[in-house]
Amino acid sequence: MMKPLRIGLLGLGTVGAGTVRVLADNAPELEQRTGRALKVVRAAVRDPHKARDCDLHGVQIDADADALVRDPDVDVVVELMGGTERARELVCAALAAGKPVVTANKALIAECSDAVFAAARASGQAVAFEAAVAGGIPIIKVLREGLAGNRIDEVAGIINGTTNYILTRMSQDGVEFAPALAEAQAKGYAEADPTFDVEGIDAAHKLAILAALAFGVPMRTDWIRTIGLTQVSSADIRYAKELGYRVKHLAIARRGAAGIELRVEPTLVPKNSFVAKIDGVMNGVMLSGNAVGSTGLHGPGAGALATASSVVADLVDIALGRALATPLSADSASAVVPAEVETAFYLRMQVADRPGVMKEISTVLAGLEISIEAIVQREVEAEQDATVVLLTHSVRTGALERAVEALQSLPVVHGPIVRMRVEHLEQ
Amino acid sequence: MMKPLRIGLLGLGTVGAGTVRVLADNAPELEQRTGRALKVVRAAVRDPHKARDCDLHGVQIDADADALVRDPDVDVVVELMGGTERARELVCAALAAGKPVVTANKALIAECSDAVFAAARASGQAVAFEAAVAGGIPIIKVLREGLAGNRIDEVAGIINGTTNYILTRMSQDGVEFAPALAEAQAKGYAEADPTFDVEGIDAAHKLAILAALAFGVPMRTDWIRTIGLTQVSSADIRYAKELGYRVKHLAIARRGAAGIELRVEPTLVPKNSFVAKIDGVMNGVMLSGNAVGSTGLHGPGAGALATASSVVADLVDIALGRALATPLSADSASAVVPAEVETAFYLRMQVADRPGVMKEISTVLAGLEISIEAIVQREVEAEQDATVVLLTHSVRTGALERAVEALQSLPVVHGPIVRMRVEHLEQ
């Protein structure tokens, strides 16, 4: 029997307590799998006297995180405190002290990758972050190891449970964004300040991590076209449904001739596609590679125990001495984000309800060589207006921008034109 | 740069040629990921002069498999020849010669695990078999590593593409088993002798492997209740649909109070469940663990390149010196297969079309305390008979056997009673 792996925890919130519970509940299995005990010996928390949802017998608890990361009796540091500045400082100190690090902190990995991975390279220690993306789904391991035989061409999925819950409620029950968000907050699926989730920042952090692993793109969230949910109305969701689509807050990274396309935005996907069927707080990610074709994973994207499942998987790899080294440095050849791409679009506009309107719209689109896949026109009750919804065939984004501008300037078009991308995913 | 990993291939059929192609196509990525070249240096085939679907420039090809596994210029042996006797002999010889082995051979792993893993333990070398189960889906890695933090409670899925293709055709297009099988054969999805697939033997091999990894159950296919597809009619599929179910050839291993239940059989699953949506030749597996809850993977279960994707992933682990050691020895405590379990059932019977029949059937079931969830009665055109289809609530299998016997002996019941299990899967 090898000596125990002694774990130091930074933070004992939901995921921290979940990690302590999973390590305790599955101690026999973990010992059998690794040949050693996985033992939490120390934790640093803001308030050492606060009650925690786990058994902390035998664990030294205090507020001294700096001492923990340097403690010679701690073999590995698990960072579950969140935030970036202080977390970066402590993670880098732990690495400098020769300790591998496990973290669930997507903001830290996505925003401080240079500092964190430089420290990891300097120390020769691993930084493992399975729990940072898609909670309990082992997407990092599948991408880096399970599909290591592939050139990855596309990563697409639902990687934020909060926005997916809101869209699912809007789609299945016809509620609007604001009450659906309020409900998600009441259920604990959304924070009191929901900006990170609703504006797509959380999903962009995760997509930056996936894209870095898949394509060698530097982890830069500012390269990701990020659009939040606030513009999506239940009317758009209803029209999308009529046309055979679902609206999802899709994160997608795709290799194209011109470079790597990176986006998080409300997107129409065919109702029978894999991501269309990921409902509620679930996460689901599709990976395409040149050998495997296309494969998908789904499961819980959050939750104390599900996230702890990924934290503990990383600890098992470390206990076995087989955690992968830091991500490869950027492959500059593929680190190009194209300014323009080809994609299909959904457009919705309010128009004057009179003859000739359709012809005016069609003339604008035909002039820019944009062809139409489907069109729906509806009278708006108790108004003089009608609603026109249309799906374009694949078109260059620049041409679409010009078309929207031209349509917007038509006198028969009233109010702003709503637009969303349409993705015909492989599965 | 480390020295190349020199690969010897046993067999150059579809998957062998696919492996050579993937190694060549993705050579730059593989070298970046492992820090070394992955190079096929030798192959042993029955007919060295046969044309192959890949570039074999620089590869020594002959028929001498025994020499290959002992060749000091081969670092790792990839067994893609199939069959058990000769494959076992060569794999054990390769291990004895100090070489790790990668194999896609589910029959070898499931049927010869004692010999193969004893040889692996003796030599301290790894036997990697990601490609043996579910083709391109990295299910072995997810089960052993990605979910290593969990006590696994259930593994359930579609792990044979041939039978799933047949059932999908029967379900979507109403064709019967025999023409659907003929079509699968014409498309190359089924062998000329389809027994292995259609009788569930192939799926049982794969389930034995998954169950051994999940539960420490010995790899014994004779512990698996295995029922083929030949009894399934399009009528059953139609009735199942009416009741909100799909018929799938479900492989399932489940931890229960009495032990580990292991089955491969035609099963009704709710139409909205994950496995119900796995169509055609796709594979899909759901894993439940006490930390993660429930997570699923889907993707191509066969095909030259998809299977090669898994072979190459194993080679990458070996190139990095991080392939996992052999599966743990059997955990005898959990290696119990219960004789009786509780489950719901689908029954279909032909009955005399006259008053009182339903009462007779209900009386038999009530007497054995079997309660009914749903019942459908249909007249059979141009006959004096009617068809009765019913779903039971959960019942002990012994009680169901007695009920079927009693019903079968009723004079109003004509012909054999068809029965299938119903699984209300978690997702």
Side-chain angles (χ1 to χ4, degrees):
Chain A
M1 177 68 72
M2 285 172 69
K3 64 184 175 53
L5 181 74
R6 296 166 304 177
I7 299 162
L9 292 180
L10 298 173
L12 263 178
T14 317
V15 177
T19 300
V20 172
R21 283 163 58 195
V22 169
L23 287 169
D25 290 350
N26 297 340
E29 286 86 356
L30 293 168
E31 203 163 317
Q32 198 185 23
R33 284 168 198 158
T34 61
R36 56 200 294 201
L38 273 60
K39 210 171 141 43
V40 178
V41 294
R42 186 166 178 174
V45 295
R46 219 168 305 171
D47 177 2
H49 303 293
K50 193 174 157 185
R52 310 282 169 176
D53 192 17
C54 57
D55 179 5
L56 293 164
H57 185 81
V59 180
Q60 178 189 340
I61 306 183
D62 56 44
D64 195 347
D66 295 287
L68 184 149
V69 299
R70 287 173 184 84
D71 185 340
D73 290 332
V74 167
D75 300 315
V76 53
V77 171
V78 178
E79 185 275 304
L80 302 169
M81 53 197 284
T84 50
E85 283 314 295
R86 182 72 177 131
R88 177 182 52 72
E89 206 174 284
L90 290 165
V91 161
C92 290
L95 290 164
K99 303 181 203 308
V101 170
V102 175
T103 178
N105 189 337
K106 60 223 90 171
L108 174 73
I109 297 296
E111 291 184 8
C112 309
S113 62
D114 287 351
V116 168
F117 293 115
R121 264 186 294 275
S123 72
Q125 295 298 332
V127 175
F129 48 89
E130 182 65 73
V133 184
I137 306 176
I139 184 73
I140 303 289
K141 187 173 276 282
V142 166
L143 185 52
R144 295 180 85 180
E145 304 176 34
L147 302 183
N150 292 260
R151 186 197 67 216
I152 300 292
D153 294 319
E154 186 173 303
V155 178
I158 312 289
I159 51 180
N160 180 281
T162 308
T163 50
N164 203 49
Y165 177 83
I166 292 170
L167 284 174
T168 303
R169 287 286 289 135
M170 290 174 76
S171 173
Q172 292 179 354
D173 309 283
V175 298
E176 286 295 343
F177 172 77
L181 169 60
E183 190 188 302
Q185 287 171 315
K187 291 201 173 205
Y189 298 152
E191 309 282 336
D193 175 1
T195 314
F196 250 56
D197 292 320
V198 163
E199 296 299 341
I201 302 164
D202 175 80
H205 281 147
K206 294 166 179 167
L207 185 67
I209 296 172
L210 294 175
L213 297 175
F215 305 116
V217 181
M219 290 200 199
R220 284 185 51 178
T221 46
D222 58 333
W223 283 4
I224 300 176
R225 178 183 155 89
T226 306
I227 300 176
L229 271 200
T230 44
Q231 301 297 316
V232 179
S233 71
S234 68
D236 292 314
I237 290 175
R238 210 169 49 240
Y239 285 117
K241 260 190 176 172
E242 274 183 44
L243 294 161
Y245 293 83
R246 297 286 177 272
V247 176
K248 289 289 181 184
H249 205 200
L250 189 73
I252 185 164
R254 177 185 286 153
R255 187 191 297 275
I260 308 293
E261 204 188 328
L262 299 164
R263 298 183 284 109
V264 174
E265 59 181 305
T267 306
L268 274 71
V269 295
K271 68 173 182 201
N272 286 323
S273 60
F274 165 62
V275 293
K277 295 174 193 161
I278 303 293
D279 282 330
V281 291
M282 291 276 273
N283 281 196
V285 182
M286 201 202 73
L287 302 166
S288 296
N290 68 342
V292 75
S294 172
T295 180
L297 292 91
H298 70 276
L305 297 183
T307 308
S309 167
S310 289
V311 170
V312 176
D314 279 343
L315 287 169
V316 167
D317 270 353
I318 286 170
L320 288 166
R322 58 192 299 287
L324 267 188
T326 56
L328 302 165
S329 53
D331 166 6
S332 58
S334 63
V336 177
V337 180
E340 259 207 355
V341 295
E342 283 213 12
T343 180
F345 275 94
Y346 162 97
L347 298 178
R348 175 169 61 86
M349 61 199 91
Q350 200 107 328
V351 299
D353 191 9
R354 62 166 174 75
V357 170
M358 279 305 218
K359 195 188 148 200
E360 283 191 61
I361 294 173
S362 317
T363 306
V364 167
L365 295 173
L368 287 153
E369 293 189 346
I370 295 171
S371 66
I372 296 171
E373 191 200 308
I375 195 154
V376 173
Q377 177 163 3
R378 284 286 148 72
E379 290 188 7
V380 180
E381 269 176 61
E383 283 186 47
Q384 307 284 304
D385 280 3
T387 297
V388 169
V389 168
L390 54 86
L391 294 184
T392 73
H393 281 292
S394 202
V395 52
R396 293 201 69 78
T397 43
L400 196 278
E401 293 302 321
R402 285 192 295 280
V404 168
E405 234 172 82
L407 291 172
Q408 195 73 77
S409 70
L410 293 178
V412 296
V413 173
H414 303 161
I417 297 173
V418 172
R419 89 193 80 165
M420 283 191 280
R421 289 176 64 154
V422 180
E423 282 293 345
H424 294 102
L425 297 164
E426 253 188 78
Q427 54 150 297
Chain B
M1 179 68 72
M2 286 173 67
K3 63 184 177 53
L5 182 74
R6 297 167 303 178
I7 299 162
L9 291 180
L10 298 173
L12 264 178
T14 318
V15 177
T19 300
V20 172
R21 284 164 57 196
V22 170
L23 287 169
D25 290 350
N26 297 341
E29 286 86 356
L30 294 167
E31 204 162 316
Q32 198 185 25
R33 284 168 198 157
T34 62
R36 56 200 294 198
L38 273 60
K39 211 173 141 41
V40 177
V41 294
R42 187 167 179 174
V45 296
R46 219 170 303 174
D47 177 3
H49 303 293
K50 192 172 156 185
R52 312 281 170 176
D53 191 18
C54 57
D55 178 7
L56 292 164
H57 184 80
V59 180
Q60 178 189 340
I61 305 185
D62 57 44
D64 196 347
D66 295 288
L68 183 147
V69 298
R70 286 173 186 84
D71 185 341
D73 289 331
V74 168
D75 299 316
V76 52
V77 171
V78 178
E79 185 275 304
L80 302 170
M81 53 196 286
T84 50
E85 283 314 296
R86 182 74 176 128
R88 178 181 52 72
E89 206 172 284
L90 291 166
V91 162
C92 289
L95 290 165
K99 302 182 205 304
V101 170
V102 174
T103 178
N105 189 336
K106 60 224 89 175
L108 173 74
I109 296 296
E111 290 183 9
C112 309
S113 62
D114 287 351
V116 168
F117 292 115
R121 263 186 295 274
S123 71
Q125 295 298 332
V127 176
F129 47 90
E130 183 66 72
V133 183
I137 305 175
I139 184 74
I140 303 288
K141 186 172 277 282
V142 167
L143 185 52
R144 294 181 85 181
E145 303 176 36
L147 301 183
N150 291 261
R151 187 195 66 216
I152 301 291
D153 293 320
E154 187 172 304
V155 178
I158 312 289
I159 51 179
N160 181 282
T162 309
T163 51
N164 203 50
Y165 178 83
I166 292 170
L167 284 174
T168 303
R169 286 287 289 135
M170 291 175 75
S171 173
Q172 292 179 354
D173 309 283
V175 299
E176 286 294 342
F177 173 78
L181 169 60
E183 190 188 302
Q185 287 171 317
K187 291 200 173 206
Y189 298 153
E191 310 282 336
D193 175 1
T195 314
F196 250 57
D197 291 322
V198 163
E199 295 299 341
I201 302 164
D202 175 80
H205 281 148
K206 294 165 178 168
L207 186 66
I209 296 171
L210 293 176
L213 297 175
F215 305 116
V217 180
M219 289 199 201
R220 284 185 52 179
T221 46
D222 58 335
W223 283 5
I224 300 176
R225 176 182 157 89
T226 307
I227 300 175
L229 272 199
T230 44
Q231 301 296 315
V232 180
S233 71
S234 67
D236 291 314
I237 290 174
R238 211 169 49 240
Y239 285 117
K241 259 189 177 173
E242 275 184 44
L243 294 161
Y245 294 83
R246 297 287 177 270
V247 177
K248 288 290 180 183
H249 205 199
L250 189 74
I252 185 164
R254 177 186 284 153
R255 187 191 297 276
I260 308 294
E261 205 188 326
L262 299 164
R263 299 183 280 111
V264 174
E265 58 181 304
T267 305
L268 275 70
V269 295
K271 69 173 182 204
N272 286 322
S273 60
F274 166 63
V275 294
K277 295 173 192 163
I278 302 294
D279 282 330
V281 291
M282 291 275 273
N283 281 197
V285 182
M286 200 202 73
L287 302 165
S288 297
N290 68 341
V292 75
S294 172
T295 181
L297 291 91
H298 70 276
L305 296 185
T307 308
S309 168
S310 289
V311 169
V312 176
D314 279 343
L315 286 169
V316 167
D317 270 351
I318 286 170
L320 288 166
R322 58 192 301 285
L324 265 187
T326 55
L328 302 163
S329 53
D331 167 4
S332 59
S334 63
V336 177
V337 180
E340 258 205 356
V341 295
E342 284 212 11
T343 181
F345 275 94
Y346 162 97
L347 298 177
R348 176 170 59 88
M349 59 198 92
Q350 198 107 330
V351 299
D353 191 8
R354 61 166 174 76
V357 169
M358 279 305 219
K359 195 189 147 196
E360 282 191 62
I361 293 171
S362 316
T363 306
V364 166
L365 295 173
L368 287 154
E369 294 189 345
I370 295 170
S371 65
I372 296 171
E373 190 199 309
I375 195 153
V376 174
Q377 177 162 2
R378 285 285 147 74
E379 288 189 7
V380 181
E381 269 176 62
E383 282 188 48
Q384 307 285 301
D385 280 2
T387 297
V388 169
V389 168
L390 56 85
L391 294 184
T392 73
H393 281 291
S394 201
V395 51
R396 293 202 68 80
T397 43
L400 196 279
E401 293 303 320
R402 286 191 295 280
V404 168
E405 234 172 80
L407 291 172
Q408 196 72 79
S409 70
L410 293 178
V412 296
V413 173
H414 303 160
I417 297 173
V418 173
R419 91 194 78 167
M420 282 190 280
R421 289 175 67 154
V422 181
E423 283 292 346
H424 293 101
L425 297 165
E426 252 187 80
Q427 54 150 294

